């Protein structure tokens, strides 16, 4: 199939911040990637009633999803999987080799194909996993990389290995500059000075669009908003991020596409 990257979009399905019309907030993260050869659910939030309820309100059909990626083995990212598979199990679930066995075996028992990865892995054209990265306390996590011929976007779950390390890994894996970062950046326990340092380092790395969600923390979200101005996109359930258009937009000082 022909892939038109302008059509590549990410929709937030599950986040701590709720959206309009009853889109439930709950602690955790999930988002949907559409516009590539495969439709990808990245993380599943903490519970399936919220995940599936938000999908229904957003008009997302579980049956349209081909791939489920679990970023890491924390419940606020894996908790919705079992209930999702009970509705739709014709999917391939990508998780890390380091995951507790019961998550993979339960998914297989519910009829899904399960692939355990540790190295960078291509899901389809334009979508690649970083492979396992290690964060504080040995927490292993993978992130999703969406790339065009010239640049890349990073989707993180909790960013336990550190958002800066993940951006560096993304550049190595894709050979592209990272222009867009979306997801939980896990800065909610960081000091203001540390947050400011991270934000300015991301600007030095020429990350042009930022969408901090989930565990990024209110202070960090404010700092990103201050530093990035209109290249900061506010995240809540139902937010639609036109990643393909952002990657095609050469400079972050242009207006974001509507
Ligand atoms: Zn976590
Ligand atoms: Zn989390």
């Amino acid at each position: 199939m022909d892939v038109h990257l302008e059509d590549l979009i990410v929709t937030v399905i599950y986040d701590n911040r709720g959206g309009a019309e009853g889109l439930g907030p709950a602690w955790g993260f999930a988002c949907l990637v559409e516009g590539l050869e495969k439709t990808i659910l990245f993380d599943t939030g903490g519970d399936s009633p919220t995940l599936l309820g938000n999908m229904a309100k957003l008009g997302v059909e579980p049956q349209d999803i081909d791939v489920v990626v679990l970023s890491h083995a924390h419940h606020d990212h894996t908790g919705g999987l079992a209930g999702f598979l009970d509705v739709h199990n014709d999917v391939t679930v990508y998780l890390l080799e380091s995951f507790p066995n019961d998550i993979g075996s339960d998914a297989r028992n519910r009829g899904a194909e399960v692939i355990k990865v540790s190295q960078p892995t291509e899901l389809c054209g334009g979508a690649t996993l970083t492979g396992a990265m290690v964060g504080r306390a040995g927490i292993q996590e993978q992130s999703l990389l969406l790339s065009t011929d010239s640049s890349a976007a990073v989707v993180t779950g909790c960013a336990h290995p550190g958002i800066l390390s993940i951006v560096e890994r993304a550049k190595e894996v894709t050979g592209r500059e990272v222009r867009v970062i979306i997801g939980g950046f896990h800065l909610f326990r960081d000091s203001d000075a540390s947050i400011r340092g991270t934000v300015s380092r991301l600007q030095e790395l020429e990350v042009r669009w930022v969408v901090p969600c989930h565990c990024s923390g209110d202070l960090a979200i404010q700092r990103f908003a201050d530093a990035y101005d209109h290249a900061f996109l506010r995240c809540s359930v139902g937010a639609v991020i036109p990643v393909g258009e952002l990657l095609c937009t050469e400079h972050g000082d242009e207006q974001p596409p509507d």
Side-chain angles (χ1 to χ4, degrees):
M1 103 178 221
D2 276 352
V3 173
H4 299 282
L5 284 164
E6 316 86 72
D7 299 335
L8 172 58
I9 61 168
V10 170
T11 303
V12 177
I13 305 285
Y14 196 115
D15 187 53
N16 323 354
R17 288 163 195 80
E21 284 149 33
L23 290 166
W27 181 263
F29 186 66
C31 65
L32 185 74
V33 180
E34 295 170 285
L36 298 175
E37 185 192 332
K38 292 181 178 165
T39 298
I40 302 165
L41 177 65
F42 179 83
D43 281 342
T44 63
D47 72 290
S48 57
T50 305
L51 179 78
L52 296 170
N54 287 346
M55 279 186 177
K57 285 170 194 151
L58 291 165
V60 173
E61 294 286 350
Q63 282 70 20
D64 290 342
I65 293 169
D66 305 298
V67 167
V68 179
V69 173
L70 297 177
S71 63
H72 65 302
H74 285 169
H75 190 75
D76 56 327
H77 299 256
T78 64
L81 180 65
F84 173 83
L85 293 178
D86 288 344
V87 174
H88 174 56
N89 64 2
D90 186 15
V91 291
T92 306
V93 178
Y94 287 82
L95 42 75
L96 294 172
E97 276 175 4
S98 58
F99 270 47
N101 278 332
D102 58 332
I103 297 179
S105 56
D106 184 70
R108 276 198 193 96
N109 289 339
R110 288 170 200 273
E113 181 187 4
V114 174
I115 297 181
K116 297 183 177 186
V117 298
S118 58
Q119 298 301 313
T121 302
E122 187 177 70
L123 301 177
C124 62
T128 309
L129 300 170
T130 56
M133 297 179 68
V134 182
R136 253 177 256 168
I139 299 165
Q140 292 202 21
E141 180 166 347
Q142 60 182 343
S143 303
L144 174 63
L145 311 177
L146 305 171
S147 54
T148 67
D149 288 346
S150 58
S151 58
V154 174
V155 184
T156 64
C158 265
H160 290 289
I163 186 64
L164 294 173
S165 303
I166 294 169
V167 168
E168 296 288 359
R169 171 70 72 94
K171 289 170 68 163
E172 288 168 22
V173 171
T174 64
R176 310 279 188 273
E177 295 297 325
V178 173
R179 298 302 188 215
V180 182
I181 54 174
I182 301 163
F185 302 159
H186 212 269
L187 300 170
F188 69 104
R189 291 199 190 103
D190 284 39
S191 68
D192 196 16
S194 165
I195 290 168
R196 286 172 188 272
T198 299
V199 172
S200 51
R201 183 72 190 121
L202 288 166
Q203 290 184 307
E204 284 166 17
L205 292 168
E206 295 188 60
V207 173
R208 291 185 176 140
W209 305 92
V210 291
V211 193
C213 309
H214 178 40
C215 56
S216 299
D218 291 341
L219 180 59
I221 287 171
Q222 187 57 50
R223 293 295 172 249
F224 276 110
D226 295 343
Y228 274 85
D229 193 24
H230 60 251
F232 158 86
L233 306 185
R234 195 166 290 281
C235 181
S236 60
V237 179
V240 176
I241 301 132
V243 173
E245 288 184 48
L246 296 182
L247 291 178
C248 295
T249 304
E250 190 49 34
H251 296 294
D253 55 5
E254 290 170 22
Q255 289 296 323
D258 290 329

